[in-house]
Amino acid sequence: MLLSEQAYKKIDREIAKFPADQKQSAVMAALAIAQDETGWLPPEVMQEVADYLGMPAIAVQEVATFYNMYDTKPVGKHKISVCTNLPCMLSGGERAAHYLKDKLGIDYRETTADGQFTLIEGECMGACGDAPVMIVNNKRMCSFMSNDKIDALVEELKK
């Protein structure tokens, strides 16, 4: 087993939310739980999720590769997703992205040499009025990201 007993207990709680014959409906939650535990979703972890949910591995892979929140390649300890949709870009998103790229010394889809940060382009985060917007590790939304706020975020995450 590639996942811990605790991870399977969490997945079981998600499965219980659906009719018994529709375990596969918990696939997105199961992938999120697996990724939280392993850091990313290598093929063998996706296979294990597929087996546990009783669905084809290709169906799990389709979900994992469709949604931006799942990582099918290794990422840094802190994945920062910058909204690149038009409203954010027009409200300082491009400036914030360039500043962050320069600060970290990486481009989109790259990881810093120390393995701490990965930068990715994100789709609409549903907070256009808070632009520019970034999400850290799929869980923490950061709004109105000025250069000072970016500096503070990076320093906080380094600790």
Side-chain angles (χ1 to χ4, degrees):
M1 289 178 30
L2 299 172
L3 301 175
S4 69
E5 184 178 328
Q6 183 180 13
Y8 282 110
K9 285 180 181 179
K10 289 178 183 178
I11 293 170
D12 286 342
R13 282 195 297 271
E14 296 299 324
I15 290 170
K17 296 175 182 178
F18 301 99
D21 64 337
Q22 295 178 23
K23 286 172 54 170
Q24 72 276 8
S25 297
V27 67
M28 290 184 71
L31 286 171
I33 292 163
Q35 181 169 283
D36 282 347
E37 184 162 293
T38 61
W40 65 292
L41 297 170
E44 57 272 13
V45 170
M46 286 190 275
Q47 180 66 58
E48 191 161 323
V49 168
D51 293 344
Y52 196 73
L53 296 177
M55 57 192 295
I58 188 66
V60 172
Q61 184 181 11
E62 287 170 346
V63 172
T65 56
F66 181 80
Y67 292 101
N68 200 27
M69 64 199 149
Y70 302 116
D71 302 308
T72 57
K73 294 184 173 140
V75 294
K77 180 178 177 185
H78 305 290
K79 180 177 78 170
I80 301 175
S81 178
V82 180
C83 184
T84 58
N85 276 15
L86 188 59
C88 271
M89 294 312 285
L90 292 175
S91 298
E94 188 171 5
R95 176 212 42 84
H98 284 326
Y99 184 80
L100 188 55
K101 288 177 185 182
D102 288 344
K103 182 165 189 66
L104 298 176
I106 58 174
D107 204 342
Y108 288 126
R109 301 231 168 258
E110 293 181 354
T111 300
T112 56
D114 63 4
Q116 288 295 304
F117 297 95
T118 297
L119 188 59
I120 65 166
E121 292 177 276
E123 289 301 316
C124 183
M125 297 170 187
C128 301
D130 294 352
V133 178
M134 299 175 185
I135 293 183
V136 179
N137 294 333
N138 300 323
K139 296 189 181 354
R140 175 181 170 192
M141 183 175 284
C142 302
S143 301
F144 307 107
M145 296 306 289
S146 65
N147 291 355
D148 289 342
K149 288 180 93 174
I150 291 170
D151 289 342
L153 175 65
V154 170
E155 288 310 308
E156 174 193 332
L157 295 174
K158 282 182 179 179
K159 295 178 183 176

